Amino acid sequence: MKLVEELNVLRYYKPFIEAFGGVKQVRTALRWSEWYAVKWWEEVYNDLGLQSIRESVFARALFISLKIRDYVREDGNIKKRPEKPEYPTNSYAMEFVDLHESFDRIGAVNVAANKADENTLAVLYSTMLSQGWYRILRQTFLRLMEIERYPAVFEPVVKEGHTAAAVMEITTPKMYIGFDYRRDNVELASATLRTRPGECGGGICIFQAPTACDAVKIARRYAPSGVDAVLMLHTLYWLLDPVKELTCISQIIGPGGKLLVGQQVVESTPGLIAIVTSFGAKHVFSWKGVEQILRSAGYQLSKRYLKYMPYYIAVWEPKRS
Amino acid sequence: MYRLSHTVRCPVCGVEFRPTVGYLKGDEAEVMCPNGHIFTVSVPNGDSVLDCEIRDWERFGLLPQATQQAVLEVIQSGKVPNELQALMRRLKEIGVVVCT
């Protein structure tokens, strides 16, 4: 971790670091994420070879994130192995490590070969979203973004509604519009937010749409003059065609509106990003890749908080000609 | 913020209305009637976990220890905290938790 990035983490992500028991505990947790990533890559490489990175986003995430850390060679062989870290003592740091341990029991090769039980992965995803460390991560992000400044919010790929619920804990937006391409997520998010799918009761609208472009057409009915913020916390890698969908999303952003981005990237925690890709993410990005995509989609950077640690965080806005 | 699907009666002026609910404190929320009286209503969540048990211990064992503990506590208490609603639904859907 470079010095400037480290200072920025302390500056912008202090509540998260404090909850994790300080920098040492965070580092221990991150070392576990690296340790597991190396273990999983070795298993995948030994069983499926280097071609696994073409067939599995999970394998690709492992390979790229370990390669940039100099743990694996270009040909996929392990270059060096991290020492097994000591177990953390902070309960949130322990939760983080336990998630890796649970995932390890499913089997990295099973995941890379697409043989892991989809329901078990879905349960583990729900588990991650409900874990205490993830709640703090979400809250820290929303407070850093000053979410209360935005009366009308659009959240693409609302998942199980945890981010929306976290927003409601901080503020009461006049309008909160969210969509997901998965029916089960729409139902779960609606239940979490105590609303009905496809209805727009009391300012919360959760509906199903196949892509962000379709969703924006529906969202325009609820917010004809656009929204004040589009909230994308760990969402970019779920989009099928990120540039196209982000371009559509820019059309729902009203004058002065912002795109609030938090995104795990390959420079972040290698084990965690691999876990998340196994839950159905379609892409892995570097932090520069995230910015290239956003620029290609017609956005300009308003403020970058963090490049990659614990994940990429920035505010963007549509470039108005 | 959302509007409840059922009406409630204001304990002060007796007017019946469909309240708009903001932030929930557990299963309760503060609402205001059209005449400006503020009172608390119960907003139970739709998910009941009464008479539930773990049926698939193998899959349940894959969950992190803390999550296993949280799920067991939910089953014992019968109440699902909001942040565990999605997880409990998924566990029920795939038969890890079975409710009679």
Side-chain angles (χ1 to χ4, degrees), chain A residues 16-319:
Chain A
F16 181 80
I17 309 256
E18 281 174 345
F20 248 67
V23 174
K24 202 180 163 200
Q25 288 289 305
V26 173
R27 283 205 176 118
T28 304
L30 296 182
R31 277 204 294 272
W32 272 104
S33 194
E34 282 188 355
W35 186 85
Y36 270 114
V38 173
K39 178 183 185 287
W40 296 335
W41 172 251
E42 193 165 27
E43 291 168 4
V44 170
Y45 180 67
N46 287 343
D47 248 65
L48 306 171
L50 189 60
Q51 72 265 25
S52 59
I53 65 171
R54 285 190 215 104
E55 289 148 16
S56 156
V57 188
F58 165 70
R60 202 179 312 148
L62 283 174
F63 178 71
I64 298 170
S65 60
L66 292 174
K67 196 169 157 292
I68 59 170
R69 284 174 169 78
D70 219 23
Y71 283 116
V72 296
R73 296 180 212 279
E74 189 69 39
D75 63 4
N77 275 302
I78 300 287
K79 195 172 173 184
K80 60 178 181 184
R81 282 182 186 78
E83 264 183 48
K84 197 167 187 174
E86 61 189 53
Y87 201 66
T89 49
N90 174 275
S91 56
Y92 292 120
M94 282 159 70
E95 267 190 344
F96 178 83
V97 177
D98 286 349
L99 177 75
H100 288 66
E101 202 176 291
S102 285
F103 185 81
D104 188 54
R105 288 199 287 267
I106 294 173
V109 176
N110 284 336
V111 174
N114 210 15
K115 285 180 184 163
D117 176 39
E118 206 177 300
N119 288 328
T120 304
L121 287 170
V123 165
L124 203 57
Y125 184 52
S126 281
T127 298
M128 182 188 81
L129 295 178
S130 65
Q131 282 185 309
W133 71 270
Y134 205 93
R135 273 204 304 277
I136 295 163
L137 176 150
R138 226 171 359 231
Q139 286 281 347
T140 310
F141 173 77
L142 293 172
R143 292 198 188 279
L144 183 63
M145 294 292 105
E146 298 180 282
I147 193 67
E148 64 279 5
R149 287 176 47 203
Y150 304 102
V153 177
F154 175 53
E155 189 193 355
V157 196
V158 73
K159 298 172 275 290
E160 297 178 355
H162 292 278
T163 303
V167 171
M168 309 300 162
E169 282 177 25
I170 294 173
T171 184
T172 308
K174 278 186 188 154
M175 172 79 68
Y176 197 98
I177 308 167
F179 91 95
D180 203 288
Y181 55 91
R182 286 177 61 138
R183 190 191 170 92
D184 58 342
N185 279 348
V186 169
E187 283 169 6
L188 290 167
S190 299
T192 300
L193 299 166
R194 303 185 193 200
T195 184
R196 289 200 180 93
E199 286 185 13
C200 210
I204 299 179
C205 323
I206 306 295
F207 56 87
Q208 192 184 359
T211 68
C213 295
D214 300 285
V216 163
K217 283 180 200 158
I218 299 168
R220 276 221 158 270
R221 285 184 226 148
Y222 304 130
S225 53
V227 296
D228 305 294
V230 171
L231 180 55
M232 299 188 79
L233 178 58
H234 305 313
T235 299
L236 277 175
Y237 45 28
W238 297 103
L239 301 177
L240 202 59
D241 185 343
V243 173
K244 185 182 173 193
E245 295 189 58
L246 283 164
T247 306
C248 292
I249 286 167
S250 69
Q251 290 159 17
I252 192 73
I253 301 178
K258 306 285 185 194
L259 177 70
L260 315 176
V261 183
Q263 179 61 47
Q264 279 156 3
V265 289
V266 287
E267 296 91 342
S268 313
T269 45
L272 183 65
I273 191 160
I275 290 173
V276 177
T277 55
S278 79
F279 296 145
K282 293 156 186 85
H283 313 274
V284 277
F285 300 115
S286 63
W287 74 266
K288 282 183 182 166
V290 168
E291 297 207 334
Q292 280 161 1
I293 282 168
L294 287 162
R295 283 202 183 90
S296 301
Y299 292 84
Q300 61 186 17
L301 183 63
S302 176
K303 180 169 182 169
R304 184 198 302 125
Y305 291 88
L306 295 167
K307 289 178 184 168
Y308 50 81
M309 197 52 75
Y311 54 94
Y312 176 83
I313 300 177
V315 177
W316 290 71
E317 56 196 8
K319 206 184 278 180

Side-chain angles (χ1 to χ4, degrees), chain B residues 21-34:
Chain B
V21 171
Y23 176 56
L24 290 166
K25 288 172 189 162
D27 279 352
E28 291 183 336
E30 268 191 357
V31 297
M32 187 165 72
C33 84

